[in-house]
Amino acid sequence: MTTQTDRNMASVPTEVQFRCCICLDVYTDPVSIPCGHNFCLDCIVSFWDTKDKSECPLCKETFKQRPELRINRGFAEIIEIFKRYLPPTTTEEEEVDVAKHSPNQIFEADEVPCDICPGHKSESVKSCLVCQASYCELHLAPHLRDPALQRHRLTDPATFPASHLCRKHNMPLTMFCKKDQTPVCVRCTERHHKHHVTVPMEKESKRVKIYLRETKTDIQQMIHARLRKMEQIKNSVDLSKKITEREIQSSSQVCTLLINAIKRQQAGLVEELEERQEKAERRAEELLVELEQEINDLQTRSSELQHLELTQHPLHLLQSFPSLSQLPSTKEWSEVAVHSDNCIGAVRTAISKLVDICQDFGNKLSAEEASKMDQYAVDVTLDPETASGWLVLSPDRKKVSLSSQKKSPLTDSPQRFDSCVCVLGKQSFTSGRRYWVIQVGDKTDWDLGVARESINRKGAITVRPDSGYWAICRRKGGNLSACASPSVTLNLQETPQKVGIFLDYEEGLVSFYDAEAKTHIYTYSGCHFSEPLYPYFNPCVQDNGKNAAPLIICPLEGRVREGRDITIESDV
């Protein structure tokens, strides 16, 4: 007897009519395209995303523009009715449990053939998850030998096919979830990943390959850059070794010259002292002879007087007394002396000569040192964002002078000096060696040096190292001073017209030179720099028009050859 349920089931269309030809599953959000064929909305969109043109997967009809897709509501309702008569399916949890407890249901073959062997294929011993291929023992050898292939992940060939299938649904992993960054099957996109952005595996694979190629190119460029840097470092070390050897030779030459000069001065001092001793001895001998003669004369007179005193003849006594009453001619010996300290002044004179010699060597070395600075020359410009409102900068940012009146209100930025007439350089230095030259001319007042980034720029400032400044200055046309704590007066033979500033960040040095005379002025050493340093300028206020000239940054000089030999000629 035929029941109502049997009649309903007989009227249900065949199941294949309600399955998408792309995902092979019952339609989800069915849409119809202009040629009349139906597909899941996500399936046809993903299919077109992998193609250069929009065409029907079944009849291959091509559309000039991608059709606008809308869900076929009537067809979707029919599919919902159809789904009611389908046999129940297991839940995702049950599917996972089945996959865990029934692995042999996925793959039944015990042996996996080698993908490389031609003709008769040998049994695979390992499968590569990177190469996506299985290898026999012979063809696996490159993966065991090549360092690049050794990083590939190998697995048991029996489990290798499972890596291509979804563990939940036992379906091919053809889609990729961008949110979870994991491969998924079509059924996953309908359920757990339904509201996630998914794309076909091929499309994501192409994107990843493009990214890998770009990354590989970037890595190659980074490798080449580091190889070049390694070569530069090696060359620098080799050059440094040669320079060090020359410096050792040069310093040996200088020390030898100084030692010879000291020896000559010592020999001269010894000779002078010996001559003084001989002279003293000759004088002493002369004095002793003279004294001995006077003693003899006095002894003779004493004997004569004694003999006259004993005479018994008054006439003889009176006649002889006048000639014997006068004492023999003698010298006043109370002021006569022979000094034992003959070396007074000689040693000091000799040391003074040595000091002059060392100073001469120091000046020559200073000139050589100053000549080398040009190889570290940098192009320095003034930063208008830091300049006080009283300052005027040239258009090329190379000159700074004081204005007779303050500019109209400027932006009160944290970088700007608001009270002191100061300005910093635009360039900052955090490593290496740098050198620049400033023309001060006949200015009577100025400050020059370097300053760290975190200095106080508001109100009154204190220019000294513990405040972040390493500078020298001139005031009232007098001697230069190092702005240390306390200040150090620099007694120079000539006031420089151009001041060179040398910064060695790693060594913690800030040195100042007379750029024209090639002489050293002052050096801050043992400094600890931990932040960017900027060139520091202060043209100072005008002194009745005497200090109106600008501070001028000099153009770069021709760079000298690095590792230039030091030659010292001594005329000592």
Side-chain angles (χ1 to χ4, degrees):
M1 181 177 180
T2 304
T3 64
Q4 182 65 31
T5 302
D6 293 334
R7 286 193 299 270
N8 291 340
M9 289 297 297
S11 63
V12 175
T14 59
E15 183 177 338
V16 70
Q17 293 177 314
F18 298 99
R19 290 189 178 274
C20 174
C21 66
I22 297 178
C23 66
L24 303 180
D25 204 349
V26 178
Y27 288 109
T28 300
D29 296 334
V31 295
S32 300
I33 61 177
C35 63
H37 291 111
N38 299 317
F39 305 94
C40 296
L41 175 61
D42 291 339
C43 292
I44 190 63
V45 170
S46 300
F47 177 79
W48 283 341
D49 286 343
T50 60
K51 301 293 182 180
D52 297 332
K53 55 185 177 180
S54 300
E55 65 177 9
C56 176
L58 293 176
C59 65
K60 304 301 180 183
E61 180 179 347
T62 303
F63 311 108
K64 294 182 179 180
Q65 295 181 349
R66 178 177 292 197
E68 181 179 355
L69 300 177
R70 294 184 179 179
I71 296 176
N72 190 330
R73 299 297 178 183
F75 192 34
E77 292 177 358
I78 295 174
I79 292 173
E80 290 298 324
I81 296 174
F82 170 74
K83 288 181 178 180
R84 298 173 187 172
Y85 296 98
L86 290 178
T89 58
T90 58
T91 63
E92 291 189 6
E93 290 76 9
E94 292 172 341
E95 290 173 349
V96 172
D97 185 68
V98 170
K100 288 182 179 179
H101 294 85
S102 304
N104 292 332
Q105 295 179 5
I106 300 177
F107 302 104
E108 299 179 356
D110 294 334
E111 297 183 359
V112 178
C114 176
D115 293 328
I116 308 301
C117 290
H120 177 71
K121 296 183 178 294
S122 302
E123 180 183 356
S124 297
V125 295
K126 289 291 181 181
S127 296
C128 179
L129 296 179
V130 178
C131 301
Q132 293 292 302
S134 299
Y135 301 98
C136 64
E137 187 172 358
L138 175 63
H139 293 115
L140 183 65
H143 277 72
L144 303 177
R145 182 179 61 252
D146 190 339
L149 296 177
Q150 287 177 355
R151 293 194 292 268
H152 289 191
R153 182 182 175 186
L154 300 178
T155 186
D156 186 357
T159 62
F160 175 64
S163 63
H164 299 278
L165 298 177
C166 175
R167 294 184 179 181
K168 293 182 180 180
H169 306 111
N170 196 23
M171 295 184 66
L173 298 172
T174 58
M175 305 295 290
F176 185 82
C177 177
K178 285 185 169 293
K179 180 180 179 180
D180 296 334
Q181 291 293 300
T182 183
V184 295
C185 68
V186 175
R187 187 169 294 178
C188 289
T189 63
E190 298 172 353
R191 297 183 180 183
H192 181 67
H193 299 269
K194 182 175 182 180
H195 300 292
H196 297 176
V197 178
T198 58
V199 295
M201 190 77 72
E202 293 80 4
K203 181 179 180 181
E204 182 66 14
S205 177
K206 290 180 181 179
R207 187 191 69 80
V208 171
K209 286 183 178 180
I210 293 174
Y211 172 78
L212 291 177
R213 284 194 296 268
E214 293 175 349
T215 304
K216 182 179 178 182
T217 301
D218 294 341
I219 291 175
Q220 291 299 321
Q221 292 176 350
M222 294 172 66
I223 291 174
H224 291 321
R226 280 151 181 77
L227 288 173
R228 289 194 299 269
K229 180 56 68 175
M230 288 178 62
E231 190 66 24
Q232 291 176 3
I233 293 175
K234 291 179 181 178
N235 292 337
S236 296
V237 171
D238 293 339
L239 181 59
S240 176
K241 184 177 180 180
K242 294 178 181 178
I243 294 175
T244 301
E245 290 174 352
R246 285 198 293 266
E247 291 292 342
I248 292 174
Q249 183 179 2
S250 176
S251 63
S252 177
Q253 176 188 359
V254 172
C255 290
T256 300
L257 291 173
L258 287 174
I259 291 172
N260 291 336
I262 292 173
K263 288 181 177 180
R264 284 193 293 270
Q265 289 298 316
Q266 183 186 24
L269 177 60
V270 170
E271 182 179 357
E272 181 180 354
L273 293 176
E274 288 178 347
E275 289 180 355
R276 290 190 177 193
Q277 179 62 27
E278 291 177 358
K279 184 179 179 180
E281 291 177 358
R282 287 195 301 269
R283 174 172 171 77
E285 290 178 0
E286 293 173 355
L287 293 175
L288 291 174
V289 170
E290 189 175 353
L291 283 169
E292 186 177 356
Q293 182 63 43
E294 289 189 1
I295 291 172
N296 290 335
D297 292 343
L298 290 172
Q299 288 178 345
T300 301
R301 181 60 56 88
S302 176
S303 298
E304 292 176 348
L305 290 175
Q306 184 178 4
H307 179 71
L308 183 61
E309 182 183 5
L310 297 175
T311 185
Q312 297 297 324
H313 303 283
L315 179 62
H316 176 71
L317 176 63
L318 295 174
Q319 288 177 343
S320 300
F321 176 74
S323 60
L324 297 176
S325 62
Q326 297 294 327
L327 294 177
S329 176
T330 59
K331 182 185 296 187
E332 176 59 44
W333 292 95
S334 61
E335 301 297 330
V336 177
V338 177
H339 300 289
S340 59
D341 51 350
N342 295 322
C343 58
I344 288 182
V347 177
R348 178 189 54 76
T349 302
I351 295 300
S352 297
K353 291 182 179 179
L354 286 176
V355 170
D356 293 339
I357 293 170
C358 292
Q359 185 63 44
D360 183 55
F361 276 114
N363 291 338
K364 291 180 180 179
L365 288 173
S366 179
E368 290 288 345
E369 182 180 327
S371 298
K372 288 182 177 181
M373 293 296 103
D374 288 338
Q375 63 184 302
Y376 305 114
V378 290
D379 187 17
V380 172
T381 55
L382 302 170
D383 184 4
E385 295 299 323
T386 65
S388 166
W390 292 94
L391 297 180
V392 177
L393 307 185
S394 63
D396 61 356
R397 305 292 188 261
K398 293 289 186 178
K399 298 180 183 179
V400 55
S401 57
L402 196 69
S403 174
S404 58
Q405 58 183 2
K406 192 173 183 179
K407 296 179 183 178
S408 56
L410 299 172
T411 304
D412 187 19
S413 65
Q415 292 78 24
R416 189 180 305 283
F417 291 92
D418 63 348
S419 297
C420 298
V421 288
C422 306
V423 62
L424 298 182
K426 184 70 173 178
Q427 294 72 24
S428 64
F429 310 120
T430 57
S431 64
R433 297 174 175 178
R434 303 291 187 270
Y435 180 72
W436 60 96
V437 177
I438 311 299
Q439 179 178 324
V440 297
D442 295 324
K443 286 179 66 64
T444 58
D445 296 80
W446 49 262
D447 294 357
L448 291 175
V450 298
R452 66 187 180 207
E453 187 176 40
S454 62
I455 55 172
N456 174 40
R457 311 183 192 196
K458 305 302 180 182
I461 63 175
T462 302
V463 180
R464 62 189 186 195
D466 58 0
S467 299
Y469 296 85
W470 292 265
I472 62 173
C473 66
R474 189 184 188 192
R475 291 293 181 268
K476 302 296 182 180
N479 290 330
L480 272 60
S481 298
C483 301
S485 181
S487 179
V488 178
T489 301
L490 307 175
N491 296 312
L492 307 178
Q493 294 181 351
E494 295 182 1
T495 302
Q497 296 285 304
K498 294 182 179 180
V499 176
I501 303 173
F502 173 67
L503 167 65
D504 190 333
Y505 195 95
E506 285 76 13
E507 292 296 327
L509 295 176
V510 181
S511 296
F512 299 86
Y513 296 89
D514 185 329
E516 292 182 325
K518 301 295 184 183
T519 56
H520 175 260
I521 298 176
Y522 186 78
T523 291
Y524 291 95
S525 60
C527 308
H528 178 66
F529 302 134
S530 59
E531 57 183 278
L533 299 178
Y534 292 82
Y536 163 71
F537 308 84
N538 183 349
C540 294
V541 298
Q542 296 184 15
D543 184 12
N544 296 324
K546 294 180 181 180
N547 195 44
L551 292 175
I552 303 174
I553 301 174
C554 298
L556 294 177
E557 299 290 340
R559 296 178 182 269
V560 299
R561 179 174 60 86
E562 189 170 354
R564 172 179 172 182
D565 294 332
I566 298 178
T567 57
I568 301 294
E569 297 180 359
S570 175
D571 53 359
V572 179

